[in-house]
Amino acid sequence: MINEIKNYSTVKMFGIYCLYIIAFMYLQHLFLINDQLYYTSLSNQLSYDSIDKMLAFQKKWQWLSYCAIPLLYFFKFLLISCCLLCGSIFFDAKLKFSDAFKISILSDVIFVIPVILKVVWFAFLHKQYTLEDIQHFSPLSVVNFFDPKSVSALWYYPLQSINVFEVLYIFVLGFWIYKFENKNYEKGLRLAVSTYLPGLFIWIVLVMFLTININPKI
């Protein structure tokens, strides 16, 4: 099984994963985000004509959000692959770029879980919700210990990023490094921790920097 994964086409693996992400994104819009939700959530802020125009604009260009998925995920996996390759130099791991890219894709599956949880939660368990509820839904995240309205926009993303799935991702990343490298799991985990955590920290700082520049009054 592992050998089949190793020998599987990187391009095909990436394409299939992007199709899964697009499918989940479509299901989320189909089951959770409908026109009535916008009218209910935004009626106190916008007129019905403004909401109508906004929805018409979104529907006209919604296909662009689906087309952007492969591009966004390509750069995400590219950056993680580069981090893994740089780290592999210090850990004497002979990772190829294609292997690092596959490891990035396979490990990312863990982040599909919160998307599924969101659909299940709002579609079947908590049917009375607003757009704000969906935006603030962060299962098993540190931000859940705070009132979303009381958290500054500057700190919301960092707190949201500290969650169980990020921790699981590191363990899964270490597992796939171990399987691709045929080394011991401890070495794979150390490589995952030493490369992913600094990259995640830099990304969070970048998001905070952009947040301050977009909204200096924070």
Side-chain angles (χ1 to χ4, degrees), residues 60-76:
K60 181 179 179 180
W61 299 105
Q62 191 174 36
W63 61 274
L64 274 178
S65 63
Y66 295 121
C67 292
I69 292 294
L71 185 63
L72 292 173
Y73 274 85
F74 173 77
F75 281 111
K76 177 183 181 178

Side-chain angles (χ1 to χ4, degrees), residues 39-124:
Y39 289 115
T40 303
S41 303
L42 302 176
S43 58
N44 293 328
Q45 305 170 38
L46 300 171
S47 67
Y48 274 76
D49 286 340
S50 297
I51 297 173
D52 282 337
K53 290 177 182 178
M54 183 183 69
L55 289 173
F57 180 82
Q58 283 187 347
K59 289 175 181 177
K60 181 179 179 180
W61 299 105
Q62 191 174 36
W63 61 274
L64 274 178
S65 63
Y66 295 121
C67 292
I69 292 294
L71 185 63
L72 292 173
Y73 274 85
F74 173 77
F75 281 111
K76 177 183 181 178
F77 296 146
L78 179 64
L79 290 173
I80 295 173
S81 300
C82 290
C83 288
L84 291 176
L85 289 173
C86 291
S88 67
I89 297 171
F90 299 99
F91 284 85
D92 192 29
K94 298 176 182 178
L95 276 178
K96 296 186 295 184
F97 176 77
S98 59
D99 290 342
F101 204 88
K102 286 177 185 176
I103 289 169
S104 304
I105 297 171
L106 293 165
S107 302
D108 202 75
V109 173
I110 200 73
F111 292 124
V112 174
I113 298 174
V115 178
I116 296 172
L117 288 176
K118 179 186 286 188
V119 173
V120 172
W121 178 257
F122 289 113
F124 303 105

